[in-house]
Amino acid sequence: MPQYRISEAAKLLGISDDTLRRQIDAGAVAATKDHAGRSVIEGADLAELAQHQAEPVRDPSPVLRSARNRLVGLVTHITADTVMAQVELQCGRERVVSLMSTEAVRDLGLVPGSLAVAIIKSTTVVVETPNL
């Protein structure tokens, strides 16, 4: 079972070490000591906390879709030529890049600052783990 030191766990959650320590003190997540006496959090507990603390932005679209991976964010940058465009969105802490036609960018009225929803429907999702 993977374990994460407080500093590692806080970085993965996008919070400060002190904030995570307060959450541990409040009982939001359990911490134990590793063989060196450092406070650590079990990987499964950290994953549960990450899911609990995730605050996805509500999708403003009234349309229902089968795609479950819907990330609401703001367009931050568009690089376009006469045929294709690269559109970058900031969806919470995540940066999403989409390639689409320049015509689609125009039709959608996308400009930096536009509210947009990245809908990801894929049969291939690559999952990696660090080689430690």
Tab-separated table of all heavy atoms in Angstrom, residues 41-70:
chain	number	residue	atom	x	y	z
A	41	ILE	N	0.376	9.332	5.203
A	41	ILE	CA	-1.028	9.043	4.937
A	41	ILE	C	-1.082	7.886	3.956
A	41	ILE	O	-0.358	7.874	2.952
A	41	ILE	CB	-1.738	10.279	4.340
A	41	ILE	CG1	-1.702	11.434	5.341
A	41	ILE	CG2	-3.174	9.950	3.944
A	41	ILE	CD1	-2.235	12.739	4.799
A	42	GLU	N	-1.937	6.920	4.243
A	42	GLU	CA	-2.110	5.785	3.328
A	42	GLU	C	-2.675	6.288	1.998
A	42	GLU	O	-3.528	7.178	1.965
A	42	GLU	CB	-3.064	4.746	3.929
A	42	GLU	CG	-2.536	4.072	5.176
A	42	GLU	CD	-1.333	3.174	4.905
A	42	GLU	OE1	-1.222	2.622	3.784
A	42	GLU	OE2	-0.498	3.037	5.808
A	43	GLY	N	-2.205	5.701	0.905
A	43	GLY	CA	-2.630	6.118	-0.414
A	43	GLY	C	-4.141	6.068	-0.616
A	43	GLY	O	-4.735	6.980	-1.192
A	44	ALA	N	-4.792	5.006	-0.129
A	44	ALA	CA	-6.248	4.885	-0.291
A	44	ALA	C	-6.969	5.994	0.461
A	44	ALA	O	-7.962	6.549	-0.026
A	44	ALA	CB	-6.722	3.517	0.190
A	45	ASP	N	-6.484	6.341	1.650
A	45	ASP	CA	-7.095	7.424	2.428
A	45	ASP	C	-6.912	8.766	1.721
A	45	ASP	O	-7.815	9.603	1.711
A	45	ASP	CB	-6.488	7.493	3.827
A	45	ASP	CG	-6.828	6.280	4.680
A	45	ASP	OD1	-7.840	5.598	4.378
A	45	ASP	OD2	-6.091	6.013	5.653
A	46	LEU	N	-5.735	8.968	1.123
A	46	LEU	CA	-5.468	10.204	0.406
A	46	LEU	C	-6.372	10.308	-0.820
A	46	LEU	O	-6.929	11.371	-1.107
A	46	LEU	CB	-3.999	10.287	0.002
A	46	LEU	CG	-3.578	11.558	-0.721
A	46	LEU	CD1	-3.805	12.781	0.157
A	46	LEU	CD2	-2.119	11.462	-1.143
A	47	ALA	N	-6.547	9.205	-1.529
A	47	ALA	CA	-7.417	9.209	-2.707
A	47	ALA	C	-8.855	9.546	-2.320
A	47	ALA	O	-9.528	10.319	-2.998
A	47	ALA	CB	-7.360	7.853	-3.408
A	48	GLU	N	-9.323	8.987	-1.207
A	48	GLU	CA	-10.680	9.278	-0.737
A	48	GLU	C	-10.824	10.757	-0.374
A	48	GLU	O	-11.818	11.399	-0.701
A	48	GLU	CB	-11.011	8.400	0.468
A	48	GLU	CG	-12.436	8.548	0.936
A	48	GLU	CD	-12.766	7.614	2.089
A	48	GLU	OE1	-12.170	6.532	2.185
A	48	GLU	OE2	-13.641	7.995	2.898
A	49	LEU	N	-9.813	11.307	0.299
A	49	LEU	CA	-9.844	12.723	0.657
A	49	LEU	C	-9.836	13.598	-0.596
A	49	LEU	O	-10.573	14.579	-0.677
A	49	LEU	CB	-8.654	13.075	1.558
A	49	LEU	CG	-8.562	14.522	2.024
A	49	LEU	CD1	-9.775	14.897	2.876
A	49	LEU	CD2	-7.275	14.747	2.818
A	50	ALA	N	-9.031	13.228	-1.581
A	50	ALA	CA	-8.960	13.999	-2.828
A	50	ALA	C	-10.323	14.021	-3.517
A	50	ALA	O	-10.763	15.066	-3.999
A	50	ALA	CB	-7.896	13.417	-3.755
A	51	GLN	N	-10.997	12.876	-3.552
A	51	GLN	CA	-12.327	12.828	-4.163
A	51	GLN	C	-13.322	13.664	-3.371
A	51	GLN	O	-14.139	14.378	-3.943
A	51	GLN	CB	-12.836	11.391	-4.223
A	51	GLN	CG	-12.208	10.582	-5.311
A	51	GLN	CD	-12.778	9.186	-5.352
A	51	GLN	OE1	-12.958	8.544	-4.318
A	51	GLN	NE2	-13.068	8.717	-6.541
A	52	HIS	N	-13.241	13.594	-2.065
A	52	HIS	CA	-14.163	14.343	-1.199
A	52	HIS	C	-13.963	15.848	-1.354
A	52	HIS	O	-14.919	16.615	-1.343
A	52	HIS	CB	-13.973	13.922	0.259
A	52	HIS	CG	-14.829	14.665	1.217
A	52	HIS	ND1	-16.190	14.463	1.301
A	52	HIS	CD2	-14.529	15.622	2.119
A	52	HIS	CE1	-16.697	15.270	2.218
A	52	HIS	NE2	-15.708	15.973	2.730
A	53	GLN	N	-12.707	16.275	-1.498
A	53	GLN	CA	-12.414	17.703	-1.569
A	53	GLN	C	-12.569	18.277	-2.972
A	53	GLN	O	-12.584	19.493	-3.139
A	53	GLN	CB	-10.995	17.983	-1.060
A	53	GLN	CG	-10.880	17.790	0.425
A	53	GLN	CD	-9.531	18.215	0.958
A	53	GLN	OE1	-8.600	18.457	0.215
A	53	GLN	NE2	-9.437	18.298	2.266
A	54	ALA	N	-12.676	17.412	-3.976
A	54	ALA	CA	-12.817	17.903	-5.345
A	54	ALA	C	-14.126	18.664	-5.469
A	54	ALA	O	-15.175	18.194	-5.050
A	54	ALA	CB	-12.792	16.736	-6.327
A	55	GLU	N	-14.042	19.844	-5.995
A	55	GLU	CA	-15.223	20.670	-6.173
A	55	GLU	C	-15.379	20.990	-7.657
A	55	GLU	O	-14.991	22.059	-8.110
A	55	GLU	CB	-15.100	21.963	-5.363
A	55	GLU	CG	-15.091	21.733	-3.876
A	55	GLU	CD	-15.017	23.028	-3.090
A	55	GLU	OE1	-15.511	24.063	-3.586
A	55	GLU	OE2	-14.471	22.996	-1.991
A	56	PRO	N	-15.941	20.050	-8.407
A	56	PRO	CA	-16.102	20.327	-9.834
A	56	PRO	C	-17.090	21.464	-10.047
A	56	PRO	O	-18.051	21.618	-9.302
A	56	PRO	CB	-16.636	19.013	-10.400
A	56	PRO	CG	-17.245	18.307	-9.241
A	56	PRO	CD	-16.476	18.768	-8.030
A	57	VAL	N	-16.823	22.236	-11.068
A	57	VAL	CA	-17.732	23.316	-11.424
A	57	VAL	C	-18.940	22.694	-12.120
A	57	VAL	O	-18.792	21.822	-12.961
A	57	VAL	CB	-17.021	24.316	-12.370
A	57	VAL	CG1	-17.979	25.405	-12.811
A	57	VAL	CG2	-15.798	24.904	-11.684
A	58	ARG	N	-20.121	23.138	-11.752
A	58	ARG	CA	-21.340	22.601	-12.344
A	58	ARG	C	-21.368	22.910	-13.834
A	58	ARG	O	-21.120	24.027	-14.261
A	58	ARG	CB	-22.568	23.195	-11.668
A	58	ARG	CG	-23.868	22.511	-12.076
A	58	ARG	CD	-25.071	23.156	-11.431
A	58	ARG	NE	-25.421	24.442	-12.030
A	58	ARG	CZ	-25.980	24.617	-13.221
A	58	ARG	NH1	-26.233	23.581	-13.973
A	58	ARG	NH2	-26.270	25.819	-13.679
A	59	ASP	N	-21.665	21.899	-14.622
A	59	ASP	CA	-21.768	22.055	-16.068
A	59	ASP	C	-22.982	22.922	-16.373
A	59	ASP	O	-24.098	22.594	-15.975
A	59	ASP	CB	-21.910	20.669	-16.705
A	59	ASP	CG	-21.863	20.697	-18.217
A	59	ASP	OD1	-22.076	21.767	-18.814
A	59	ASP	OD2	-21.616	19.634	-18.798
A	60	PRO	N	-22.793	24.041	-17.078
A	60	PRO	CA	-23.916	24.943	-17.340
A	60	PRO	C	-24.858	24.455	-18.432
A	60	PRO	O	-25.929	25.015	-18.624
A	60	PRO	CB	-23.211	26.235	-17.774
A	60	PRO	CG	-21.938	25.766	-18.388
A	60	PRO	CD	-21.534	24.547	-17.583
A	61	SER	N	-24.493	23.384	-19.131
A	61	SER	CA	-25.300	22.896	-20.244
A	61	SER	C	-26.503	22.116	-19.734
A	61	SER	O	-26.376	21.257	-18.869
A	61	SER	CB	-24.445	21.989	-21.134
A	61	SER	OG	-25.252	21.369	-22.104
A	62	PRO	N	-27.695	22.376	-20.302
A	62	PRO	CA	-28.883	21.619	-19.903
A	62	PRO	C	-28.990	20.274	-20.630
A	62	PRO	O	-29.897	19.507	-20.369
A	62	PRO	CB	-30.036	22.542	-20.312
A	62	PRO	CG	-29.507	23.268	-21.508
A	62	PRO	CD	-28.038	23.453	-21.231
A	63	VAL	N	-28.059	19.992	-21.520
A	63	VAL	CA	-28.106	18.771	-22.327
A	63	VAL	C	-27.518	17.612	-21.539
A	63	VAL	O	-26.469	17.740	-20.903
A	63	VAL	CB	-27.310	18.977	-23.644
A	63	VAL	CG1	-27.282	17.708	-24.463
A	63	VAL	CG2	-27.895	20.134	-24.431
A	64	LEU	N	-28.164	16.458	-21.586
A	64	LEU	CA	-27.639	15.249	-20.956
A	64	LEU	C	-26.831	14.472	-21.987
A	64	LEU	O	-27.225	14.372	-23.139
A	64	LEU	CB	-28.780	14.390	-20.421
A	64	LEU	CG	-29.641	15.041	-19.344
A	64	LEU	CD1	-30.794	14.119	-18.967
A	64	LEU	CD2	-28.805	15.386	-18.127
A	65	ARG	N	-25.677	13.915	-21.556
A	65	ARG	CA	-24.807	13.178	-22.465
A	65	ARG	C	-24.324	11.906	-21.788
A	65	ARG	O	-24.282	11.822	-20.574
A	65	ARG	CB	-23.584	14.031	-22.823
A	65	ARG	CG	-23.905	15.217	-23.684
A	65	ARG	CD	-22.630	16.015	-23.985
A	65	ARG	NE	-22.960	17.242	-24.667
A	65	ARG	CZ	-23.328	18.355	-24.049
A	65	ARG	NH1	-23.409	18.406	-22.753
A	65	ARG	NH2	-23.606	19.445	-24.745
A	66	SER	N	-23.906	10.957	-22.590
A	66	SER	CA	-23.360	9.723	-22.034
A	66	SER	C	-21.933	9.921	-21.541
A	66	SER	O	-21.468	9.187	-20.675
A	66	SER	CB	-23.393	8.608	-23.080
A	66	SER	OG	-22.560	8.939	-24.175
A	67	ALA	N	-21.227	10.902	-22.083
A	67	ALA	CA	-19.839	11.149	-21.677
A	67	ALA	C	-19.812	11.635	-20.235
A	67	ALA	O	-20.491	12.591	-19.886
A	67	ALA	CB	-19.184	12.170	-22.597
A	68	ARG	N	-19.056	10.991	-19.386
A	68	ARG	CA	-18.992	11.341	-17.970
A	68	ARG	C	-17.825	12.261	-17.634
A	68	ARG	O	-17.810	12.882	-16.596
A	68	ARG	CB	-18.894	10.074	-17.117
A	68	ARG	CG	-20.120	9.187	-17.241
A	68	ARG	CD	-21.330	9.903	-16.671
A	68	ARG	NE	-22.523	9.105	-16.829
A	68	ARG	CZ	-23.651	9.553	-17.347
A	68	ARG	NH1	-23.737	10.778	-17.782
A	68	ARG	NH2	-24.698	8.778	-17.447
A	69	ASN	N	-16.846	12.324	-18.505
A	69	ASN	CA	-15.667	13.141	-18.246
A	69	ASN	C	-15.890	14.533	-18.820
A	69	ASN	O	-15.538	14.829	-19.952
A	69	ASN	CB	-14.421	12.487	-18.860
A	69	ASN	CG	-14.186	11.120	-18.274
A	69	ASN	OD1	-14.232	10.952	-17.057
A	69	ASN	ND2	-13.967	10.144	-19.112
A	70	ARG	N	-16.507	15.387	-18.021
A	70	ARG	CA	-16.876	16.737	-18.451
A	70	ARG	C	-16.171	17.725	-17.525
A	70	ARG	O	-16.409	17.735	-16.331
A	70	ARG	CB	-18.381	16.909	-18.377
A	70	ARG	CG	-19.129	15.893	-19.230
A	70	ARG	CD	-20.597	15.796	-18.851
A	70	ARG	NE	-21.283	17.057	-19.011
A	70	ARG	CZ	-21.906	17.441	-20.108
A	70	ARG	NH1	-21.940	16.639	-21.145
A	70	ARG	NH2	-22.507	18.602	-20.178
